[in-house]
Amino acid sequence: MGSLSLAVGSWNSTPSALGTEKAGKGVMNRLRCRPLCSPLKSCLQRIHLDSVQQTQFPLHSTAASFPSIFVSNRLLDDLSKSGRVDEARQLFDQMPCRDDFSWNTMISAYARLGRLTEARQLFDQTPTQTSITWSALISGHARQGDGLGALELFCQMRSDGLQPNQYTLGSVLRACSVSFMLRRGEQIHAHAIKTRFDLDIFVVTGLVDMYAKCQQILDAEYLFNMMPDKKNHVLWTAMVTGYSQNNYELRAMQCFRDMRAEGVRSNQFTFPSVLTACAALLERWFGMQVHGCIIRTGFGVNVFVESALLDMYAKCGDLNSARRVLESMEVEDIVSWNSLIVGCVRQGFEREAISLFKKMHMRNMKIDDFTYPSVLNSLASVMDVEHAKCVHCLIVKTGFEAYKHVSNALIDVYAKQGNLNCAFSVFHRMPEQDVVSWTSLITGYAHHGFYENALKLFCNMRIVGIDPDQFVIASILSACAELTILEFGRQVHANFIRCGLKSSLSVDNSLVTMYAKCGCIEDAHQVFDSMLMRDVVSWTALIVGHAQNGRGEHSLKLYDQMILNGIRPDYVTFIGLLFACSHAGLVEDGCRYFESMGDVHGITPGPEHYACMIDLLGRSGKIAKAKEILEKMTIRPDATVWKAMLAACRIHGNLELGERAAMNLFELEPANAVPYVLLCNMFSAAGRWDDAASIRKLMKSRGICKEPGCSWMEINSKVHTFTAEDRSHSRMSEIYSKVDEIMSLIKEAGYVPDMNFALHDMDEEGKELGLTYHSEKLAVAFGLLSVPRGAPIRIFKNLRVCGDCHTAIKFISRVFQRHIILRDSNCFHHFSEGRCSCRDYW
């Protein structure tokens, strides 16, 4: 867009712009009609030489040394345009006679440099305040982004009775643009129509720029098309920039193409806008053609154009070209280096990004607040905690820790690396946290298994009035899923809806997972059915959810639907699918899916898949086949595989293979009590009490403690926990009385205690009494006392449910006509009318 100072100070301006002094007009007429007289010609040549060589004119000369006000104004204009405003002011103060041009030039010089106070002082002192004088001051405020100040001046000008010219209107429109004041801009547009300036190129350019910046791109396009024969490069550039800024990237590129076809030359403002459009659409080939135009027109050494070129190549993934542009730049531009670092991060070249940052530091470049977040993202991806700490030290030394987005990046890098103490320390030192700060910290805690801490932080975040975003909602829902806190998860879901946040794939996937892991498979299905977009994570979450809730056949049907919808399964999908087959006893289907992993989908089976297959075959009694798969594994069996084998051996009493599995687990996980307990239970079930005692003695000598079995349930936002033969609950007398009542009623219904699960060497009566007060039974009794009829009783257990308790709860569901949902360490058990969803196959 044209500069107001050029309009004020141009020697092609109308005579009225130069003042009305007769002497000045006489000088101009003489200069037009005949050669310069010798003294004046010599003086002008000397002035021109001084202007070129940037030497100081002898301002101490007397007034008599100036041939005329015309010469003084010419020198005043040269000094102002070259930025030597203080010298211009000295000349201005020594001029014996000043006209409108003198005042306007000086006011414009101050305004152009942002020295608005001095400009206003001169403005108030000027003898005659013309429209040009007002335009100079309005333009200065607009340049400094003070749109309201510029509009106030415009209103004062109108109240003083002065009519604005096209330059005034252009300047005030620029003020509306920088302050995004659409309504005021429309009023200026109406005034331009009334005064018939609406077809002036300067005004139309201002209108196009104003409408574009106020996101009214169609209005800008209409005005642009209304000027078919008078478009200059400034107007074309305003239109290209408008399209680009309003995300009409394709139209920006088409407009640039039409501009070239019309023969209008592009400049250093046009090229960055069209290159930004190319970068947004990843149109590398068009960008390369623009690069060719840049070289031909000689703008290849402009730092802004070079920076836009580099950014385009980096965003389009052509890092080699971006690097060549950077190496060819004569000026080391921090923006360009940042663009290349961001490009490397986006393309997954984190090490290259870190290397570029090191080069910047070695060259003593002024690293800014945009550089640090990019390099910290790289360090987070490669889990380089040592270099992250070094960068943190540099951030503190350079004072950038006070920048909110830099601190947010620091929290993110520490949180992703699991260094939560450092993350919290940075978070705590921030003068003000935003939703990004909270989200980074909460996500870090949730990702590393500190689910309760994540929930507490989320509650604190809501208390201080920070509205959540989609990312933190997804993290909190994942934490609720892991902790199986259904009611809290429902509240978060409701809060998400109340906040009016748009649904996102990550939130929807987390909701499906949360409801499925909390045993609400119908709610999970409802969320899944309402999703506008589904990916492999969505399908896998529901497949696993059905499998965990005893609906293996539904999992297989969902898998078939997923394939029909064109979604390719991934590594995790097959874990869920094989898990479903294992818990539903679908041996043939499981073997078929296992074979299809590599043959059809090119997925190499991992330890989890082998563990599922061993579990599938072991549960169905095919221990020999499970052992065969174990022997043929292409990878070394890990603890997951041996645990599956040990569990299968426990079910079918294969002590020989069970001991082998347990010995391997003793080596792989020496501090894990599970293999000791399982082997001890196997010995106890076989009546080998001495061997069981030796295992317990071995555990004690190694300092290994068995995790105590406990069951818990949430009622009215309070968690009630029970252990075997526990008497610490405030209502324990009622609970024990209820247990006795339950046992009496279910025995009448046909329940017989299973002594195989009484693993202590004692008489029959003692064994039965020990089974009676298991944690599951105590929790069920409390649920019958506390949960209203018609509502499901939800119980959670940290270990696998006891077989005797499983049988007893089936009877309880029939005798008391209640729906009981029990989640153990393995899966969900939905008890209803004397049956369990697992069909006794868990």
Side-chain angles (χ1 to χ4, degrees):
M1 193 174 289
S3 172
L4 181 61
S5 62
L6 294 176
V8 174
S10 173
W11 290 108
N12 293 324
S13 300
T14 60
S16 62
L18 301 176
T20 56
E21 186 171 328
K22 295 181 180 180
K25 290 183 178 179
V27 171
M28 286 188 63
N29 290 333
R30 287 196 298 273
L31 288 175
R32 292 193 184 102
C33 298
R34 58 187 174 81
L36 293 172
C37 62
S38 186
L40 184 57
K41 182 176 181 180
S42 174
C43 182
L44 289 175
Q45 287 175 342
R46 187 158 41 80
I47 292 171
H48 177 68
L49 182 62
D50 286 347
S51 176
V52 172
Q53 295 178 347
Q54 296 292 302
T55 56
Q56 186 170 349
F57 192 83
L59 298 179
H60 58 274
S61 303
T62 62
S65 65
F66 294 100
S68 70
I69 192 173
F70 169 79
V71 177
S72 299
N73 282 343
R74 177 62 184 272
L75 180 57
L76 187 68
D77 189 55
D78 287 343
L79 291 171
S80 299
K81 289 180 179 177
S82 63
R84 299 161 66 183
V85 67
D86 292 325
E87 296 174 45
R89 180 59 187 266
Q90 294 179 41
L91 173 62
F92 177 82
D93 290 339
Q94 293 183 16
M95 289 173 63
C97 184
R98 311 182 190 102
D99 60 6
D100 288 347
F101 181 84
S102 313
W103 288 93
N104 292 341
T105 300
M106 201 65 236
I107 292 170
S108 180
Y110 277 133
R112 187 166 53 246
L113 293 177
R115 296 166 65 170
L116 299 179
T117 302
E118 293 157 296
R120 184 58 192 251
Q121 289 172 350
L122 277 181
F123 175 85
D124 293 335
Q125 296 171 12
T126 185
T128 306
Q129 293 174 348
T130 65
S131 59
I132 297 175
T133 317
W134 283 95
S135 297
L137 196 58
I138 291 171
S139 177
H141 280 271
R143 284 175 181 271
Q144 296 302 310
D146 183 15
L148 289 175
L151 280 171
E152 288 178 3
L153 288 168
F154 179 75
C155 293
Q156 291 176 21
M157 172 185 176
R158 298 283 292 117
S159 64
D160 287 352
L162 285 174
Q163 289 296 327
N165 59 20
Q166 65 268 39
Y167 304 116
T168 314
L169 293 176
S171 297
V172 76
L173 283 170
R174 182 175 184 177
C176 295
S177 298
V178 298
S179 298
F180 309 106
M181 294 184 289
L182 175 62
R183 187 175 179 182
R184 292 299 182 93
E186 290 174 336
Q187 292 172 354
I188 303 300
H189 189 181
H191 182 82
I193 294 173
K194 290 179 182 178
T195 54
R196 298 189 177 183
F197 281 121
D198 56 313
L199 293 179
D200 181 86
I201 186 67
F202 194 80
V203 175
V204 172
T205 302
L207 285 168
V208 168
D209 181 62
M210 184 273 297
Y211 280 121
K213 282 192 169 63
C214 293
Q215 299 182 344
Q216 302 295 315
I217 191 63
L218 296 181
D219 293 334
E221 184 180 62
Y222 174 79
L223 290 172
F224 177 79
N225 292 331
M226 289 290 290
M227 299 280 293
D229 301 325
K230 300 178 182 179
K231 298 171 187 171
N232 59 14
H233 73 280
V234 181
L235 181 57
W236 279 98
T237 298
M239 196 67 244
V240 172
T241 303
Y243 280 134
S244 182
Q245 290 175 343
N246 284 271
N247 300 323
Y248 285 78
E249 291 87 3
L250 184 59
R251 290 195 185 185
M253 293 159 62
Q254 292 170 343
C255 187
F256 177 79
R257 180 199 59 196
D258 295 341
M259 176 182 179
R260 298 288 299 174
E262 291 289 330
V264 180
R265 288 178 60 85
S266 308
N267 61 14
Q268 68 270 28
F269 304 106
T270 320
F271 288 123
S273 296
V274 71
L275 287 170
T276 300
C278 294
L281 294 180
L282 305 181
E283 286 287 348
R284 176 174 167 270
W285 293 108
F286 195 94
M288 292 176 67
Q289 295 177 51
V290 175
H291 192 177
C293 295
I294 291 169
I295 294 173
R296 287 194 297 273
T297 51
F299 284 101
V301 294
N302 182 277
V303 66
F304 300 107
V305 175
E306 288 176 319
S307 180
L309 257 178
L310 190 150
D311 184 65
M312 183 274 296
Y313 280 126
K315 287 180 178 176
C316 291
D318 189 354
L319 298 179
N320 289 329
S321 297
R323 193 178 292 105
R324 284 196 293 270
V325 172
L326 183 67
E327 292 171 352
S328 67
M329 293 179 68
E330 296 179 1
V331 178
E332 288 189 334
D333 178 48
I334 185 68
V335 177
S336 302
W337 281 81
N338 287 344
S339 296
L340 187 55
I341 289 174
V342 171
C344 291
V345 174
R346 286 177 176 171
Q347 296 297 317
F349 296 100
E350 291 86 1
R351 295 292 181 188
E352 179 68 18
I354 297 168
S355 176
L356 286 168
F357 175 77
K358 290 179 179 178
K359 289 180 181 178
M360 292 176 68
H361 185 53
M362 290 173 63
R363 296 185 184 189
N364 292 321
M365 294 182 67
K366 190 177 180 181
I367 298 170
D368 63 12
D369 55 312
F370 294 101
T371 316
Y372 286 119
S374 299
V375 73
L376 286 170
N377 287 337
S378 300
L379 293 168
S381 298
V382 300
M383 303 298 287
D384 191 342
V385 65
E386 294 304 322
H387 280 100
K389 290 181 178 179
C390 293
V391 174
H392 189 181
C393 291
L394 187 61
I395 289 170
V396 173
K397 288 179 181 178
T398 52
F400 280 104
E401 196 177 25
Y403 288 74
K404 189 180 295 181
H405 56 283
V406 175
S407 290
N408 287 344
L410 276 170
I411 294 170
D412 183 64
V413 68
Y414 283 131
K416 285 180 178 176
Q417 293 171 353
N419 197 337
L420 298 174
N421 289 333
C422 288
F424 187 81
S425 177
V426 175
F427 177 85
H428 185 69
R429 287 199 303 272
M430 291 179 68
E432 182 182 1
Q433 299 92 358
D434 60 7
V435 66
V436 179
S437 321
W438 286 95
T439 299
S440 297
L441 191 62
I442 291 170
T443 302
Y445 276 102
H447 181 73
H448 291 281
F450 296 93
Y451 305 116
E452 293 184 9
N453 299 75
L455 296 181
K456 290 176 182 177
L457 281 168
F458 178 76
C459 293
N460 292 335
M461 169 185 165
R462 301 297 291 125
I463 290 171
V464 299
I466 301 293
D467 291 326
D469 62 8
Q470 295 165 332
F471 301 103
V472 73
I473 290 291
S475 296
I476 286 299
L477 288 171
S478 297
C480 292
E482 295 300 326
L483 293 175
T484 60
I485 305 178
L486 177 62
E487 292 307 316
F488 193 93
R490 289 190 190 277
Q491 292 176 30
V492 173
H493 188 183
N495 184 255
F496 173 74
I497 296 171
R498 274 199 307 272
C499 289
L501 294 171
K502 291 183 179 180
S503 183
S504 69
L505 188 60
S506 60
V507 172
D508 288 340
N509 288 343
S510 297
L511 278 170
V512 172
T513 303
M514 187 271 293
Y515 281 123
K517 286 192 173 183
C518 290
C520 301
I521 194 64
E522 291 80 10
D523 292 334
H525 232 302
Q526 186 176 356
V527 173
F528 180 83
D529 292 338
S530 67
M531 292 174 66
L532 299 176
M533 184 186 302
R534 304 184 188 108
D535 62 1
V536 66
V537 178
S538 320
W539 289 93
T540 300
L542 202 58
I543 287 171
V544 174
H546 275 286
Q548 288 179 331
N549 285 273
R551 298 182 178 185
E553 293 85 354
H554 288 77
S555 296
L556 272 57
K557 291 178 182 178
L558 280 168
Y559 176 76
D560 293 336
Q561 292 178 25
M562 182 181 80
I563 298 299
L564 288 174
N565 279 272
I567 304 295
R568 289 183 60 85
D570 63 6
Y571 187 94
V572 181
T573 308
F574 279 103
I575 296 176
L577 201 59
L578 294 174
F579 180 88
C581 294
S582 173
H583 286 257
L586 304 174
V587 178
E588 292 183 3
D589 290 311
C591 292
R592 177 165 52 87
Y593 289 129
F594 184 74
E595 291 175 0
S596 71
M597 286 183 62
D599 297 342
V600 179
H601 301 287
I603 300 173
T604 303
E608 300 91 346
H609 303 105
Y610 283 107
C612 286
M613 284 303 297
I614 291 171
D615 188 59
L616 168 64
L617 296 169
R619 285 172 181 273
S620 61
K622 301 180 184 296
I623 298 294
K625 188 72 180 291
K627 183 180 178 182
E628 182 182 339
I629 286 184
L630 179 66
E631 302 295 344
K632 290 183 178 180
M633 282 182 63
T634 56
I635 57 176
R636 184 184 178 186
D638 66 357
T640 308
V641 175
W642 287 114
K643 284 177 186 176
M645 180 60 75
L646 180 58
C649 293
R650 179 185 180 277
I651 293 172
H652 298 285
N654 191 324
L655 272 172
E656 181 183 354
L657 188 55
E659 284 189 76
R660 178 187 169 192
M663 293 304 172
N664 279 281
L665 286 168
F666 293 166
E667 293 181 7
L668 292 171
E669 296 182 348
N672 189 354
V674 172
Y676 294 92
V677 174
L678 287 178
L679 186 58
C680 182
N681 291 346
M682 288 176 68
F683 285 137
S684 298
R688 295 169 56 174
W689 304 108
D690 293 338
D691 291 329
S694 65
I695 293 296
R696 285 194 289 269
K697 185 177 180 180
L698 179 62
M699 289 179 64
K700 187 176 181 181
S701 66
R702 294 183 177 181
I704 299 170
C705 297
K706 173 190 173 183
E707 181 183 3
C710 68
S711 301
W712 67 92
M713 57 193 310
E714 181 184 1
I715 297 178
N716 297 328
S717 301
K718 184 177 180 181
V719 176
H720 302 265
T721 305
F722 305 91
T723 58
E725 301 183 15
D726 181 18
R727 295 185 180 273
S728 61
H729 197 278
S730 59
R731 299 178 63 185
M732 193 49 67
S733 59
E734 295 178 71
I735 293 171
Y736 269 71
S737 296
K738 192 66 176 178
V739 170
D740 294 338
E741 177 192 346
I742 290 170
M743 299 307 293
S744 176
L745 291 174
I746 64 175
K747 282 180 181 178
E748 292 178 7
Y751 162 74
V752 177
D754 189 347
M755 298 303 176
N756 290 321
F757 293 92
L759 301 177
H760 294 282
D761 187 11
M762 60 181 68
D763 58 26
E764 293 297 312
E765 184 179 352
K767 289 181 179 181
E768 182 177 347
L769 190 62
L771 291 173
T772 300
Y773 301 115
H774 275 192
S775 66
E776 298 97 316
K777 295 185 180 76
L778 295 177
V780 170
F782 180 70
L784 291 172
L785 289 169
S786 306
V787 178
R789 180 170 290 277
I793 299 172
R794 299 179 182 276
I795 302 168
F796 303 93
K797 186 174 181 183
N798 61 332
L799 304 177
R800 191 171 181 269
V801 64
C802 161
D804 177 72
C805 289
H806 188 271
T807 302
I809 297 174
K810 285 198 300 181
F811 278 96
I812 294 170
S813 68
R814 177 160 58 88
V815 170
F816 289 88
Q817 292 296 301
R818 299 298 294 265
H819 181 199
I820 302 170
I821 303 172
L822 170 64
R823 180 187 175 180
D824 65 4
S825 61
N826 212 17
C827 64
F828 274 96
H829 301 267
H830 293 258
F831 299 94
S832 181
E833 297 181 353
R835 293 189 297 270
C836 180
S837 59
C838 73
R839 293 173 296 186
D840 300 336
Y841 196 84
W842 82 99

